């Protein structure tokens, strides 16, 4: 899709469709008033007759409106003018795309940018219009033998800005929106690919591809033998039962000052989680191909930041394995030694995420990080606690947690903090090793984070449990690309703070 910005009156746009907001109850927006005036009261007449109330979700598509240069005018109900927040703005944009897709129009001028959204500026509105449009248009067709062609697909959106003074800001917003949207799509594609295609090796090849695309990116892939040398006994215990070789992928993006400590992202890359010998039940087991969505979000955020050429240092670390049961798989009761030297009793082979993350988190020390953020589809308990709307957030440094909470509010890709109190640590006690890899039923998300916290003592760290938000189940099954939006916003905020 092509996106641009432009300032100018709606009736002067020579284009397929002009999109105009209308508020409840029957209140015309500034652009609606202009169209109304040039068309001699056509819009206010329709509104008076009850053709559109302006409630959220209302639409009215008009053709050949008098004294306008466009083929169509699409009126969109936005609800009460004062009540538009980021959720409603998103819904309004989704309604717009859904209607336009079957309208025959290919080029669109959107005046939805004139809607006042609480605490949000023009940059935010343009960026989020693009994200909503791309969310609607995303399809995973890579593996369908027959591609569906749309006869008159949407080609171009022009966002209206207020006067020439906003053009530069608008263009910047378009660049940001497009970079984030394409990185979200990339993360979705990786998530949606099945386990027989998206293997650890495939993830590594995607990271190498980033290296080739961007001069500032340098990718490195460690093999099983390298990890053995590093003493990554926890990570390697997970891959034992699989025919797919494990990979430890690092993606460095160094566009900041040399001495500036990097932000390190660590993404769980379990390309299929059968549970191992602690085998999962069969129902919905296919969804465990999404167990690499943390890794996908790391690839996504690296790609967005590189695309935007942000002046900052970032490192992405992706421990990638497949968790399968075979004759050499780990058994419940096995004890392994992690890279940190701490020993772990594997009481459940299905708690594999923390086993690969703990060694990756120890490995992260090597980059002398400013902060480390790990992203993982780690616990079913997090789905129970927070559902599909918010990721779980835990960590050892409150300023970092607050930055992530705030980036969540800005991006709409939200997270919510859970306590990481010392009191929970005792659930990980093992009679035979330094710790067990599970902490029992109560507070499963917290005890998983407690486990990780034992490997992150040397730096500021936050953990995002994305088990509930990384993909949708049911009829619309598919990866969401979350939390690429949240992480990119966090980096954007950091860049702003430092300049
Ligand atoms: N990948 C799963 C977590 C998961 C499960 C995410 C269902 C989304 C939906 C993880 O590896 C896992 O199996 N966790 C176990 C941990 C338990 C054995 C302590 C879980 O949550 O059941
Ligand atoms: Mn598991
Ligand atoms: Zn898992």
């Amino acid at each position: 899709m092509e996106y641009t910005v432009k300032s100018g009156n709606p009736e002067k746009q020579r284009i397929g469709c002009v999109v105009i907001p209308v508020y409840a109850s029957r209140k015309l927006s500034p652009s609606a008033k202009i169209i109304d005036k040039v068309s001699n009261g056509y819009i206010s007449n329709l509104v008076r007759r009850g053709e559109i109330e302006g409630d959220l979700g209302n639409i009215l598509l008009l053709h050949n409106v008098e004294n306008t240069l466009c083929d169509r005018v699409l009126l969109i109900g936005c609800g009460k003018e004062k009540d538009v927040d980021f959720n409603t703005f998103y819904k309004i944009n989704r309604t717009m795309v859904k209607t336009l897709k079957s309208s025959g129009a290919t080029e669109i001028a959107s005046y939805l940018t004139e809607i006042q959204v609480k605490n949000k500026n023009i940059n935010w509105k343009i960026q989020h219009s693009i994200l909503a449009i791309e969310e609607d248009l995303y399809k995973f067709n890579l593996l369908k033998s027959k591609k569906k062609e749309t006869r008159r697909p949407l080609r171009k959106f022009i966002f209206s800005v207020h006067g020439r003074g906003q053009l530069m800001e608008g263009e910047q917003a378009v660049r940001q929106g497009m970079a984030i949207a394409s990185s979200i799509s990339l993360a979705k594609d990786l998530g949606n690919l099945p386990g027989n295609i998206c293997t650890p090796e495939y993830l590594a090849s995607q990271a190498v591809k980033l290296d080739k695309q961007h001069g500032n990116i340098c990718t490195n892939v460690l093999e099983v033998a390298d990890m053995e040398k590093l003493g990554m006994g926890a990570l390697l215990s997970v891959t034992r039962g699989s025919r797919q070789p494990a990979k430890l992928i690092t993606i460095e993006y160094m566009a900041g000052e040399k001495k500036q400590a990097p932000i390190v992202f660590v993404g769980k890359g379990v390309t299929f989680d059968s549970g191992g010998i602690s085998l999962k039940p069969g129902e919905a087991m296919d969804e465990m191909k999404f167990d690499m969505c943390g890794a996908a979000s790391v690839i996504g955020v690296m790609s967005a930041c590189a695309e935007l050429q942000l002046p900052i240092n970032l490192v992405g670390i992706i421990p990638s394995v497949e968790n399968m049961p075979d004759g050499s798989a780990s058994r419940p009761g096995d004890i392994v030694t992690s890279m940190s030297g701490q020993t772990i009793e594997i009481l459940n082979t299905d708690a594999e995420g923390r086993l690969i993350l703990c060694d990756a988190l120890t490995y992260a020390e090597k980059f002398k990080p400013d902060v480390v953020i790990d992203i993982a589809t780690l616990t079913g308990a997090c789905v129970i606690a927070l559902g599909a709307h918010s990721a779980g957030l835990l960590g050892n440094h409150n300023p970092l947690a607050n930055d992530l909470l705030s980036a969540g509010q800005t991006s709409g890709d939200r997270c919510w903090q859970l306590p990481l109190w010392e009191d929970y640590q005792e659930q990980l006690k093992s009679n035979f090793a330094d710790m067990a890899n599970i902490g029992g039923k109560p507070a499963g998300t917290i005890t998983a984070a407690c486990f990780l916290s034992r490997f992150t003592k040397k730096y500021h760290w936050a953990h995002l449990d994305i088990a509930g938000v990384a993909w949708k189940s049911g009829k619309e099954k598919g990866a969401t690309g979350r939390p690429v939006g949240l992480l990119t916003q966090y980096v954007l905020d950091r860049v702003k703070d430092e300049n």
Side-chain angles (χ1 to χ4, degrees), residues 279-329:
L279 194 66
K280 285 183 181 295
E283 198 190 314
M285 205 207 266
D286 66 292
E287 295 188 9
M288 282 299 121
K289 72 173 181 178
F290 295 118
D291 212 17
M292 36 55 68
C293 283
S297 75
V298 170
I299 291 180
V301 67
M302 300 299 291
S303 129
C305 295
E307 184 73 43
L308 292 169
Q309 299 185 308
L310 300 181
I312 196 154
N313 296 333
L314 306 173
V315 179
I317 303 179
I318 297 171
S320 185
V321 301
E322 186 185 50
N323 187 21
M324 295 290 257
D326 84 357
S328 50

Side-chain angles (χ1 to χ4, degrees), residues 42-283:
Y42 182 47
I43 308 288
S44 42
N45 255 325
L46 289 171
V47 161
R48 213 170 302 124
R49 286 208 318 241
E51 301 282 348
I52 183 165
E53 275 297 310
D55 292 340
L56 190 61
N58 283 174
I59 48 159
L60 187 60
L61 184 60
L62 309 169
H63 295 85
N64 306 319
V65 176
E66 222 178 308
N67 298 322
T68 65
L69 295 176
C70 54
D71 302 333
R72 307 167 187 78
V73 171
L74 174 60
L75 301 178
I76 301 236
C78 301
K80 284 247 180 304
E81 190 175 6
K82 284 205 196 74
D83 293 348
V84 182
D85 60 9
F86 73 69
N87 264 325
T88 34
F89 187 72
Y90 194 78
K91 282 184 191 150
I92 292 163
N93 276 279
R94 292 292 296 268
T95 307
M96 167 181 74
V97 196
K98 283 206 166 65
T99 316
L100 290 173
K101 272 200 288 200
S102 54
S103 71
T106 59
E107 303 203 354
I108 318 297
S110 167
Y111 285 75
L112 297 181
T113 44
E114 72 182 21
I115 299 171
Q116 301 293 326
V117 187
K118 276 176 212 156
N119 306 321
K120 308 294 185 202
N121 58 18
I122 183 75
N123 180 308
W124 185 94
K125 286 186 274 190
I126 292 175
Q127 210 177 293
H128 283 262
S129 292
I130 294 175
L131 292 179
I133 294 165
E134 294 291 325
E135 172 72 30
D136 207 281
L137 298 178
Y138 177 84
K139 289 236 157 50
F140 185 75
N141 284 332
L142 285 163
L143 301 174
K144 303 240 189 199
S145 59
K146 291 198 189 71
K147 318 271 180 240
K148 254 192 228 144
E149 295 279 328
T150 327
R151 202 175 66 83
R152 285 175 64 84
L154 292 166
R155 273 193 339 104
K156 183 173 180 180
F157 278 85
I158 303 171
F159 299 108
S160 158
V161 295
H162 215 74
R164 290 174 172 274
Q166 275 194 345
L167 280 177
M168 285 260 283
E169 201 183 348
E171 279 159 11
Q172 164 77 357
V174 165
R175 274 192 295 278
Q176 274 180 19
M178 287 177 75
I180 298 171
S182 66
S183 302
I184 289 176
S185 295
L186 170 62
K188 284 182 185 173
D189 282 348
L190 291 173
N192 289 332
L193 282 169
N196 64 326
I197 295 176
C198 186
T199 57
E201 197 176 342
Y202 184 87
L203 283 180
S205 75
Q206 291 296 304
V208 169
K209 196 165 151 197
L210 279 187
D211 180 323
K212 298 216 170 96
Q213 282 167 342
H214 301 280
N216 285 330
I217 285 189
C218 182
T219 294
N220 238 302
V221 181
L222 295 190
E223 306 295 331
V224 170
D226 304 313
M227 292 185 260
E228 272 165 1
K229 278 190 204 118
L230 288 166
M232 296 186 159
L235 189 160
L236 290 168
S237 75
V238 180
T239 191
R240 294 175 55 89
S242 165
R243 306 283 169 96
Q244 299 294 334
K247 307 276 171 183
L248 182 68
I249 307 158
T250 55
I251 310 166
E252 291 175 65
Y253 170 75
M254 296 294 176
E257 284 178 32
K258 268 225 163 63
K259 56 181 193 316
Q260 185 191 58
I263 300 170
V264 177
F265 296 110
V266 179
K268 172 177 173 182
V270 176
T271 58
F272 188 74
D273 180 12
S274 70
I277 296 297
S278 314
L279 194 66
K280 285 183 181 295
E283 198 190 314

